[in-house]
């Protein structure tokens, strides 16, 4: 699989040697991009003979989906399941989300609310791509390209001072890091109504419906301009079926009555894609786990159906309908667990080196052994359980768990331990603060942690307690 740069995000060309493979996984591409722990958010897209963009089903043979095509076949790595940026644990994953969202904005598939939001988003894109504003060489080319971002209709006319607004917004975020600018752009986009929606268009405008968007919370039905958009939550959907180019949906209206919706698409593949998108997005965002009825559902072609009459275990003509493997919760938990195991392995090696350097040789003193064990436990217990990099210094309320640093706690909406909603966070001041300890100097580390009150006088103990108390009252870390 050879990566090819294209359209800001990655495209991949599959050669003749690889097209004969029965299955394809984007793991190799995700490994190259550093997003292997969260690759479930992504998928591969291809164009059929009619020019429609469709998702590749990674459980089925490639050539059955693409119809052979002219080699090399080109697939685009795109975000398939959109989640808010605070749920993304890897910075490389957030970068790929940023590149895709930037493309969606520039190509007009994602529209913002007003011109003020346009100026703010263009400034964030300029900061992420070019850094701080430079009056000597302002990024006018980047501004011009990003000015293709348009607000949703209806909206006021384009202001004459839009460029001045963008420049002012760019100056105000001077010093912001690239990763921070990407994060806040994704945060802005995640608040849009069309965030995460996969659009399905129709040239026919069947029953007054011009477009259907499948998103995290349900289906958005876009009708004629004089009618409002209709939102159908997943909980109201009773059934969904496809027959050739027709898509048929039965759902409960606000009055509790069964209502049907018929939508004619441009091809049978688009109709199947709409049915697949509804099922997979509902399972990904709304379910605790993917049911076997979804993962095991398959169809056969005519030849495979005839063969299956005599041999049910035959794989001839067998094609899985859905590709989803994990839900949103499972992807987050699996990625967090994998990253924690990697960080724990690194920390265990570092802690082992510290203990070896601090080893007293053949000393079998129980107090020395106990101090080393205490040191090892402290090194592990005082780190943030999310990033495993900064020290633990924040408590989450109302549950009261202290498992994260301030930066990670601000990105969480639920407690990582008990999953209770977080109302607010508070900084905690512990008697031992490892952020000010030189971890490369084990002697200094041991001196700051090792209990020495056993050999101290009563006056020294009282003096240390008063010093600690005054430091905590003044808001200083010890």
């Amino acid at each position: 699989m050879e990566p090819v740069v294209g359209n800001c995000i990655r495209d991949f060309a599959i050669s003749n040697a690889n097209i004969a493979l029965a299955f394809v996984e984007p793991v190799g591409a995700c490994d190259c991009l550093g997003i292997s722990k969260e690759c479930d958010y992504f998928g591969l897209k291809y164009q059929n003979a009619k020019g429609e963009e469709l998702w590749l089903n990674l459980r089925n043979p490639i050539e059955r989906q693409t119809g052979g095509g002219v080699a090399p076949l080109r697939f685009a790595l795109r975000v398939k399941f959109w989640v808010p940026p605070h749920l993304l644990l890897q910075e490389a994953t957030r970068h790929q989300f940023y590149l895709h969202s930037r493309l969606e904005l520039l190509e007009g598939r994602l529209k913002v609310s007003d011109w003020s939001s346009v100026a703010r988003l263009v400034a964030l894109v300029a900061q992420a791509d070019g850094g701080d504003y430079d009056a000597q060489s302002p990024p006018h080319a980047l501004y011009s390209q990003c000015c293709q971002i348009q607000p949703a209709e209806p909206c006021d006319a384009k202001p004459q001072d839009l460029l001045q607004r963008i420049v002012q917004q760019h100056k105000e975020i001077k010093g912001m890091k690239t990763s921070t600018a990407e994060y806040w752009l994704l945060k802005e986009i995640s608040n849009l109504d069309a965030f995460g929606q996969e659009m399905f268009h129709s040239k026919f405008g069947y029953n007054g419906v011009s477009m259907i968007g499948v998103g995290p919370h349900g289906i958005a039905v876009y009708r004629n301009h004089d009618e409002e958009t209709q939102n159908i939550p997943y909980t109201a959907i009773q059934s969904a079926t496809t027959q050739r180019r027709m898509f048929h949906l039965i759902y409960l209206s606000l009055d509790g009555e069964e209502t049907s919706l018929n939508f004619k698409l441009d091809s049978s593949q688009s109709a199947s894609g709409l049915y697949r998108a509804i099922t997979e997005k509902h399972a990904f965002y709304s379910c605790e786990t993917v049911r076997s009825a979804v993962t095991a559902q398959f169809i056969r072609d005519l030849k495979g159906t005839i063969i299956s009459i005599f041999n049910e275990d035959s794989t001839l003509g067998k094609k899985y309908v859905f590709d989803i493997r994990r839900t949103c919760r499972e992807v987050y938990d699996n990625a967090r667990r994998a990253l924690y195991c990697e960080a724990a392995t690194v920390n265990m090696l570092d802690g082992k080196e510290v203990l070896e350097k601090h080893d007293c040789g053949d000393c079998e003193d129980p107090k020395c052994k106990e101090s080393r064990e205490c040191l090892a436990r402290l090194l592990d217990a005082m780190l943030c359980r999310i990033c495993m990099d900064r020290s633990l210094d924040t408590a989450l309320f109302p549950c009261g768990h202290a498992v994260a640093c301030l930066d990670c706690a601000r990105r969480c909406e639920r407690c990582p331990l008990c999953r209770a909603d977080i109302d607010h966070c508070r900084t905690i001041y512990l008697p031992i603060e490892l952020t000010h300890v030189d971890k490369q100097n084990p002697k200094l580390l041991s001196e700051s942690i090792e209990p020495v009150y056993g050999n101290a006088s009563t006056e020294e103990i009282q003096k240390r307690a008063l010093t600690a108390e005054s430091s905590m009252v003044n808001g200083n870390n010890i």
Side-chain angles (χ1 to χ4, degrees), residues 316-329:
L316 186 64
K318 185 177 181 179
K319 182 174 67 173
Y320 288 99
V321 178
F322 305 109
D323 184 33
I324 186 171
R325 316 290 178 85
R326 298 185 180 96
T327 65
C328 179
R329 297 176 180 86

Side-chain angles (χ1 to χ4, degrees), residues 12 68 266 366 388 408:
F12 297 89
D266 298 339
M388 296 302 295
C408 293

Side-chain angles (χ1 to χ4, degrees), residues 64-263:
R64 292 185 189 176
Q65 302 176 66
T66 61
V70 179
L73 296 175
R74 191 171 298 275
F75 300 97
L77 183 70
R78 297 291 187 266
V79 179
K80 186 175 183 180
F81 300 107
W82 292 84
V83 295
H86 64 270
L87 294 180
L88 302 176
L89 302 177
Q90 294 180 280
E91 187 174 334
T93 307
R94 284 194 293 272
H95 180 63
Q96 294 301 318
F97 268 64
Y98 161 76
L99 292 177
H100 193 176
S101 61
R102 182 180 183 273
L103 184 66
E104 294 283 312
L105 287 169
L106 295 180
E107 294 186 352
R109 289 192 291 267
L110 194 61
K111 296 185 181 296
V112 297
S113 57
D114 50 33
W115 289 107
S116 298
S117 300
V118 170
R120 186 163 56 252
L121 290 177
V122 172
L124 288 172
V125 171
Q127 184 70 19
D129 290 2
D132 294 339
Y133 178 80
D134 186 3
Q136 301 297 327
S137 56
H140 290 305
L142 186 60
Y143 290 157
S144 301
Q145 180 185 12
C146 294
C147 281
Q148 300 175 21
I149 301 175
Q150 298 291 326
E153 298 292 342
C155 187
D156 298 333
K158 183 176 180 180
Q160 299 294 328
D161 61 341
L162 179 61
L163 182 59
Q164 286 75 14
R165 293 186 189 183
I166 295 173
V167 172
Q168 182 61 31
Q169 292 277 355
H170 196 178
K171 290 179 179 178
E172 290 178 359
I173 58 176
K174 180 180 180 181
M176 182 181 288
K177 296 190 298 184
T178 298
S179 57
T180 307
E182 294 177 355
Y183 174 85
W184 284 111
L185 183 133
L186 290 173
K187 193 70 175 176
E188 291 275 347
I189 290 177
S190 64
N191 296 324
L192 300 178
D193 294 335
F195 175 74
Q197 285 188 0
E198 183 178 354
M199 300 299 182
F200 293 86
H201 303 265
S202 174
K203 298 178 182 178
F204 306 100
Y206 196 81
N207 289 339
V209 179
S210 59
M211 185 169 54
I212 289 182
V214 184
H217 306 293
I219 300 173
V221 181
Y222 296 88
R223 300 184 182 274
N224 298 329
H225 294 292
D226 55 345
E227 297 185 26
E228 295 183 357
T229 302
Q230 179 185 3
N231 294 313
I232 305 174
Y234 287 122
T235 53
I237 297 177
Q238 300 295 303
S239 65
T241 56
T242 59
Q243 185 177 10
R244 296 184 179 179
R245 292 187 298 175
M246 288 297 301
F247 172 76
H248 183 65
L249 180 73
I250 298 178
Y251 64 96
L252 295 178
S253 64
L254 296 176
D255 300 331
E257 299 180 356
E258 280 196 359
T259 310
S260 62
L261 172 67
N262 295 314
F263 185 58

